[in-house]
Amino acid sequence: MTEFQTPPIDPFAIRFDAESATLSPEGPTLVRRMSDLEGLFADADAWRAAVADGDPVVYSVQSSPVPEADRELPQSITTIQPGTTAGELWMTKGHQHPDHQGEIYLGISGTGGLLMHDGERTEWLDIEPGTIGYIPPGWAHRSINTGDEAYRFLAVYPGGAGHDYGWVLEHGMGRRAYAGAAGVELRPFGG
Ligand SMILES: [Fe+2]
């Protein structure tokens, strides 16, 4: 047998209910309200107004019970609500993996975008149900709801990769996504 620093968990099946978008058995659920997204929307006044006006839930992340431990492969279902803040589409905080490792996202329902930035280059992938978006090592990633219903995707990621949210505050994401008349409008980050 291979020697592991942390003993792996035992094999098990997880049931995904597409109707309720729940995992069973389930792990922890993370809820991000508008107030958790400080410094991320371009229009800080509009962000502040939205926090004061009920501080809505922007997205939630339901994890499977697989731990975020080295060599394990955790999964989670993210649900981003539809909405905009001064025209900027609702989104996740975005993060970089401190230990540069890849990840995949699978679109489940609604429509969204996967915005990636490596510090110089920026990429955008349209994600719809059935699309697998690949995030290569070293690319920070943020998801965005581009439609008018909840956008859901499954993430599968290396448990030891970690989450660095400060990287996005420091480096930005290269582009911002706005609701335009003809769909998503990507604008320069500083614009
Ligand atoms: Fe990630």
Side-chain angles (χ1 to χ4, degrees):
M1 280 288 282
T2 310
E3 288 290 323
F4 293 99
Q5 267 186 321
T6 312
I9 62 171
D10 292 331
F12 71 111
I14 301 162
R15 169 150 181 80
F16 170 61
D17 186 315
E19 196 66 29
S20 58
T22 51
L23 297 171
S24 179
E26 64 177 2
T29 296
L30 181 76
V31 176
R32 299 277 198 208
R33 292 183 174 276
M34 189 59 84
S35 54
D36 297 312
L37 276 63
E38 184 170 11
L40 298 177
F41 288 99
D43 191 327
D45 290 337
W47 169 80
R48 211 168 287 113
V51 171
D53 185 19
D55 193 16
V57 170
V58 178
Y59 66 97
S60 60
V61 184
Q62 195 201 346
S63 301
S64 85
V66 177
E68 289 187 344
D70 207 23
R71 296 176 190 275
E72 299 284 4
L73 206 52
Q75 320 93 45
S76 59
I77 307 279
T78 299
T79 302
I80 309 177
Q81 299 303 323
T84 59
T85 297
E88 192 171 359
L89 290 158
W90 282 7
M91 59 192 179
T92 60
K93 293 176 77 161
H95 63 267
Q96 175 69 283
H97 297 157
D99 183 2
H100 289 178
Q101 298 192 52
E103 178 167 6
I104 60 164
Y105 284 179
L106 167 66
I108 292 171
S109 66
T111 56
L114 172 50
L115 179 64
M116 290 178 273
H117 185 53
D118 73 349
E120 293 177 5
R121 295 168 295 171
T122 305
E123 293 286 341
W124 172 274
L125 304 180
D126 288 311
I127 307 286
E128 55 185 41
T131 307
I132 295 175
Y134 179 61
I135 302 157
W139 289 75
H141 35 292
R142 162 178 286 167
S143 288
I144 292 139
N145 187 339
T146 59
D148 50 18
E149 60 178 306
Y151 165 53
R152 283 201 175 93
F153 63 91
L154 167 75
V156 183
Y157 58 100
H163 294 81
D164 182 358
Y165 297 100
W167 192 96
V168 172
L169 290 169
E170 192 179 331
H171 300 271
M173 284 300 297
R175 297 280 186 283
R176 292 184 179 280
Y178 289 82
V184 183
E185 218 174 82
L186 293 178
R187 300 183 194 163
F189 199 82

